[in-house]
Amino acid sequence: MKKVIMELLGKYGKEDLAILYIAKQDDKIVEFVESLQPPIPREEKWVLVISTMYGCPVGCLMCDAGEYYHGKISTEGMLEEIDFMIKKRFPDGKIPIPKFKIQFARMGEPSLNKDVLEVLRLLPEKYEAPGLMPCLSTIAPNKGADFLDELIELKNHFYPNGNFQLQFSIHSTDQEEREKWMTTNIWNLGEIAKFGEKWYTKGDRKITLNFAVAEDSKINPEIVAHIFDPEKYWIKLTPINPTSKAMDNKLQSGITVENTEVFPLVKEFRKLGFSAAISIGEWEENDIGTNCGQFATQYTNGKVSIRESYTTTEYALSD
Ligand code: SF4
């Protein structure tokens, strides 16, 4: 395997919440994150979130990762991201954490990078991690069809019995709105459901259908219920994070700190038999700028100042 020389440029965030790392791999900028879910301690749950691309070619309306695209990250490059975070805390590669998630959900659309499959094949042999659960989040681009088909075999072989989490980020039940937010080259909801039938095996985790909810989003639970089986899918509603792109595109979050408890869509989905929840992460992440793609984009645009040593967490966005 070709060795990637990764130079850590900085880290930003908080030990007890989320730390975002920014690094250079062959002169390209990559960002990755380790996070906790307070009050659950790291000994019980630890989440790594890695990038699969340098930027992203898709360019969704609410995501800063799509501000530029400098190519796919190789198998070695992705393993470097993971290994860096693991070796810092578990130098012997033994991770005795019952819930140890590696999310392929930072910069990049994973299904457009075949090397992600190789990383998924290698992880179980590389680390002693009985709690390992990969999570892959996709917008289901047309060109990702072969990848997703191959992923079925891989999941059944390496991560059976509910040890893999698949998420489709669908955002709207209106195809026109979906294509406006993401790209015209995506599966429609029917195509996603058809794939879900092939994917789902007894004992698997339910597939996540994620909606990032804007104030005026078109989300009709009846349409979802008509297409997707509540036995195989659950609904995750998330706020629109205040990224530069979201602000430029005037996307205001429909879910806010104030209305989280009473947000009506959750009830509507539950009435139709779905498990449904609002997943807000931590609002504090908005303040520290650790939403997807924000940091690398700001760095690439020369808007982030990083101090000399990465042993400090005191990195600051310049504005
Ligand atoms: S949301 Fe995903 S697919 Fe869309 S631009 Fe961001 S990284 Fe790319």
Side-chain angles (χ1 to χ4, degrees), residues 55-60 62-66 106-109 139 182 292:
C56 183
V58 181
C60 300
M62 64 303 190
C63 174
D64 283 356
R106 198 70 199 172
M107 296 184 99
E109 164 51 51
I139 62 161
M182 295 176 277
C292 181

Side-chain angles (χ1 to χ4, degrees), residues 1-103:
M1 234 191 270
K2 184 178 162 269
K3 182 99 182 115
V4 174
I5 307 294
M6 189 169 86
E7 178 194 353
L8 197 71
L9 297 172
K11 67 176 192 177
Y12 184 77
K14 282 180 158 185
E15 266 296 301
D16 59 359
L17 178 58
I19 302 179
L20 184 146
Y21 299 94
I22 185 157
K24 219 182 228 189
Q25 290 181 336
D26 299 333
D27 287 329
K28 290 174 187 155
I29 303 300
V30 61
E31 63 172 43
F32 43 97
V33 174
E34 57 169 315
S35 69
L36 300 179
Q37 202 182 329
I40 304 171
R42 183 175 290 105
E43 295 70 46
E44 287 175 29
K45 183 172 179 182
W46 191 37
V47 182
L48 309 184
V49 194
I50 68 153
S51 293
T52 56
M53 292 175 163
Y54 303 106
C56 183
V58 181
C60 300
L61 288 191
M62 64 303 190
C63 174
D64 283 356
E67 290 260 313
Y68 61 86
Y69 176 54
H70 295 161
K72 298 170 189 177
I73 304 182
S74 65
T75 304
E76 300 75 23
M78 285 182 271
L79 289 174
E80 281 276 344
E81 295 176 57
I82 295 166
D83 211 48
F84 174 82
M85 293 185 280
I86 289 180
K87 289 288 164 65
K88 237 167 39 83
R89 299 188 190 276
F90 304 97
D92 59 2
K94 294 180 185 165
I95 305 132
I97 301 177
K99 284 188 182 166
F100 171 44
K101 293 191 173 184
I102 299 185
Q103 300 184 344

Side-chain angles (χ1 to χ4, degrees), residues 5 67 82 92 97 108 144 150 163 170 179 186 190 197-198 231 240 261 293 305 308 315:
I5 307 294
E67 290 260 313
I82 295 166
D92 59 2
I97 301 177
E150 215 176 304
N163 284 315
I170 60 174
E179 293 182 8
I186 45 171
E197 290 303 311
K198 287 193 283 177
E231 294 299 315
I240 296 274
E261 295 299 322
S305 60
E308 287 171 355
Y315 296 95

Side-chain angles (χ1 to χ4, degrees), residues 232-276:
K232 295 175 184 165
Y233 296 86
W234 76 283
I235 309 296
K236 183 168 111 184
L237 304 167
T238 47
I240 296 274
N241 293 320
T243 59
S244 311
K245 281 283 288 277
M247 285 192 267
D248 288 352
N249 290 308
K250 308 207 170 11
L251 286 179
Q252 290 289 340
S253 184
I255 298 171
T256 61
V257 181
E258 292 76 33
N259 73 8
T260 307
E261 295 299 322
V262 293
F263 199 67
L265 272 177
V266 176
K267 263 195 184 161
E268 289 176 33
F269 276 114
R270 285 183 184 158
K271 254 194 228 159
L272 293 164
F274 286 97
S275 304

